């Protein structure tokens, strides 16, 4: 079932403000060159527009950076679901040798020299500045990154006039073809895992298979989870190309064509693709 985003959610404004400051703070990285914002640019749909991100010292990532907008609605974080919360997610980039390449002791040392941070954490958290509290502040800011009241949300609220005929037909097709069976809920995705290549061998056809392509298998080591990924949200998807975990699809039309072939085992007609892309 598709649901509209809530118009607003109440968060602790002070924690959001500290989290926002941390989000743009390069001191989270080993050499003060990378901030969360580097890969999750809030002016570019909450990601970086790259196939894979570039980290400290030019380190090249292995998987496409997902958007941080509306990420609080995802049931797990990362494509392979290895973090069960936004707080747990923060450990990944901070410690990853190809991302921020840092350690929590180093981050604490650097931020601990900033007296304005120390005072603010003491004010907001009983135990002051700790790793868990830094993660909580960041996660609180990220949860506040909502994009409510889109034209589609207004349509779901009953305003028929906000979508044109192509968009309405696209939504009908989105439901009737089966896209909505995975892209569902308030985030139009993000609430289940699915195998990439359900109805065809996507990875063999694409070639150059990497470890990151294993998806959830890398976490569970269960062969049944091979090539399974968290279904991405379709919120603001027109802003977040390139798409898929491998960043291989450069346009919405390409995404829809590939999804039709490998997830639904059908060739979607050009006019249908255009209408779904419009939606």
């Amino acid at each position: 079932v598709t649901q509209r985003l809530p118009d607003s959610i109440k968060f602790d404004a002070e924690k959001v403000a500290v989290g926002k400051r941390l989000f743009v703070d390069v001191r989270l990285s080993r050499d003060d060159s990378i901030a969360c914002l580097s890969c999750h640019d809030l002016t570019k749909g909450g990601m970086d527009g790259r196939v894979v991100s570039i980290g400290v010292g030019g380190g090249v990532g292995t998987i496409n950076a997902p958007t941080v907008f509306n990420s609080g609605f995802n049931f797990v974080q990362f494509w392979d679901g290895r973090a069960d919360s936004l707080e747990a997610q923060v450990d990944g980039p901070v410690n990853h040798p190809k991302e921020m390449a840092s350690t929590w002791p180093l981050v604490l040392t650097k931020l601990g020299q900033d007296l304005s941070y120390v005072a603010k954490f003491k004010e907001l958290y009983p135990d002051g500045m700790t790793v868990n509290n830094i993660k909580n502040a960041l996660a609180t800011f990220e949860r506040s990154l909502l994009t409510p009241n889109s034209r589609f949300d207004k349509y779901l609220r009953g305003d028929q006039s906000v979508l044109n005929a192509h968009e309405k037909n696209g939504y009908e097709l989105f439901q009737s073809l089966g896209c909505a069976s995975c892209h569902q809920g308030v985030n139009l995705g993000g609430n289940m895992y699915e195998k990439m290549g359900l109805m065809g061998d996507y990875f063999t056809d694409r070639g150059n298979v990497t470890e990151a392509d294993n998806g959830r298998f890398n976490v569970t080591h269960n062969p049944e989870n091979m090539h399974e990924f968290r279904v991405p949200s379709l919120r603001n998807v027109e802003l977040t190309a390139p798409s898929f975990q491998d960043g291989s699809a450069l346009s919405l039309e390409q995404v829809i064509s590939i999804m039709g072939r490998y997830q639904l085992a059908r060739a979607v007609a050009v006019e249908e693709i255009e209408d779904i892309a419009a939606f």
Side-chain angles (χ1 to χ4, degrees):
V1 178
T2 309
Q3 300 159 298
R4 64 186 180 88
L5 275 177
D7 291 336
S8 65
I9 298 178
K10 192 84 179 115
F11 296 101
D12 183 321
E14 296 276 332
K15 286 182 182 177
V16 169
V18 175
K20 183 177 185 178
R21 199 177 151 196
L22 288 162
F23 193 80
V24 301
D25 198 324
V26 294
R27 288 174 291 186
L28 268 67
S29 65
R30 188 187 69 217
D31 62 357
D32 298 355
S33 65
I34 300 279
C36 306
L37 187 74
S38 308
C39 302
H40 300 285
D41 189 332
L42 303 183
T43 66
K44 291 182 180 170
M47 49 85 75
D48 57 7
R50 298 175 183 271
V51 172
V52 292
S53 300
I54 306 297
V56 163
V60 180
T62 58
I63 204 159
N64 187 253
T67 179
V68 72
F69 282 114
N70 307 305
S71 56
F73 289 109
N74 293 330
F75 83 126
V76 291
Q77 303 300 327
F78 295 120
W79 285 98
D80 59 13
R82 66 186 181 275
D84 62 1
S85 68
L86 283 169
E87 282 86 352
Q89 184 273 334
V90 179
D91 285 323
V94 168
N95 293 291
H96 197 293
K98 290 184 175 178
E99 294 181 36
M100 289 175 159
S102 193
T103 65
W104 281 119
L106 180 58
V107 171
L108 276 177
T109 300
K110 289 199 280 188
L111 298 185
Q113 291 163 354
D114 186 324
L115 298 181
S116 63
Y117 264 137
V118 174
K120 186 49 87 174
F121 271 95
K122 200 170 279 184
E123 186 188 311
L124 293 177
Y125 296 92
D127 49 349
M129 184 188 283
T130 66
V131 172
N132 282 344
N133 294 344
I134 289 170
K135 286 157 64 170
N136 177 256
L138 265 170
T140 303
F141 169 63
E142 289 168 354
R143 288 190 184 98
S144 78
L145 294 173
L146 306 174
T147 61
N149 214 27
S150 66
R151 286 193 299 130
F152 183 54
D153 287 316
K154 291 173 182 170
Y155 181 77
L156 291 175
R157 204 181 290 137
D159 185 347
Q160 292 284 314
S161 67
V162 291
L163 299 189
N164 65 34
H166 284 296
E167 292 162 346
K168 284 177 182 170
N169 190 50
Y171 183 36
E172 291 296 318
L173 288 164
F174 182 80
Q175 296 173 92
S176 63
L177 293 180
C179 315
S181 60
C182 294
H183 293 285
Q184 49 173 274
V186 75
N187 231 7
L188 291 152
N191 63 0
M192 62 183 285
Y193 296 112
E194 189 51 274
K195 194 176 291 290
M196 181 68 172
L198 201 57
M199 307 296 284
D201 195 338
Y202 171 80
F203 290 101
T204 297
D205 291 351
R206 190 207 66 195
N208 299 316
V209 181
T210 68
E211 189 183 357
D213 292 327
N214 295 342
R216 184 111 181 96
F217 172 81
N218 290 337
V219 180
T220 66
H221 305 294
N222 180 345
E224 288 181 11
N225 300 135
M226 183 62 79
H227 306 318
E228 276 185 4
F229 299 91
R230 186 197 67 203
V231 175
S233 164
L234 295 185
R235 293 260 172 200
N236 310 305
V237 71
E238 76 280 14
L239 303 175
T240 56
S243 298
F244 299 146
Q245 78 293 334
D246 57 10
S248 64
L250 304 182
S251 70
L252 282 174
E253 289 77 7
Q254 200 180 349
V255 167
I256 294 157
S257 175
I258 290 170
M259 287 280 100
R261 178 178 175 188
Y262 289 100
Q263 302 307 105
L264 304 171
R266 60 180 296 154
V268 187
V270 173
E271 350 26 290
E272 291 180 323
I273 288 176
E274 287 171 359
D275 282 359
I276 296 169
F279 161 65

